[in-house]
Amino acid sequence: MSTIIYTGTTNTTGGRDGASRSSDGRLDVQLSPPGSSGPGTNPEQLFAAGWSACFLGAIGRAAAERQLRVPADAAIDAEIDLVSNDDGYVLQARLNAKLPGIEADLAKSLVERAHQLCPYSKATRGNIAVELNVA
């Protein structure tokens, strides 16, 4: 049995040159195409922000499974590429984890476990190329 925990609802107009607003008013952004000098952000940046936030939370879950804590200065640098190829447009991603004070092999193990736990990682698995890195 599944239980819906939360539903994020947005309304977007104008596509990549438009605006997106959440139903609760907490998100209200102008959109501009990637690489343009327009006033807003783009879907790839929004996706990177959402995935990196979720992924850092998943690292916390992975650490808790081992009775460990994630350092307060841990961070994820997410890079989402919009790629044009023979199939049209596709995405690819790099998730770069910074886990100061955690030994390299353990940090890599936590990142790999987080990739199994994170809902964004699950949603993209097998659909886009994803590279996991530990700094």
Side-chain angles (χ1 to χ4, degrees):
M1 182 174 162
S2 296
T3 302
I4 295 174
I5 298 169
Y6 176 77
T7 300
T9 304
T10 61
N11 175 268
T12 301
T13 58
R16 289 182 175 271
D17 287 304
S20 190
R21 292 174 187 80
S22 63
S23 60
D24 63 5
R26 296 177 73 182
L27 176 73
D28 188 353
V29 296
Q30 291 297 119
L31 301 170
S32 298
S36 77
S37 60
T41 187
N42 59 66
E44 290 72 28
Q45 288 174 330
L46 292 169
F47 187 54
W51 195 353
S52 60
C54 185
F55 198 81
L56 190 53
I59 289 175
R61 281 190 54 209
E65 289 177 352
R66 297 180 182 203
Q67 287 76 49
L68 300 171
R69 293 187 57 172
V70 174
D73 55 350
I76 303 297
D77 292 333
E79 300 173 86
I80 305 296
D81 300 322
L82 177 62
V83 179
S84 176
N85 65 23
D86 293 339
D87 294 328
Y89 294 105
V90 298
L91 298 176
Q92 63 186 28
R94 286 169 304 288
L95 300 176
N96 306 301
K98 298 176 184 176
L99 302 172
I102 296 181
E103 188 269 327
D105 286 340
L106 176 57
K108 183 178 179 187
S109 175
L110 293 174
V111 165
E112 289 170 354
R113 177 67 177 141
H115 195 48
Q116 299 304 310
L117 296 170
C118 175
Y120 281 73
S121 293
K122 290 177 183 180
T124 59
R125 187 165 293 117
N127 296 312
I128 70 172
V130 178
E131 182 181 313
L132 302 174
N133 300 301
V134 179

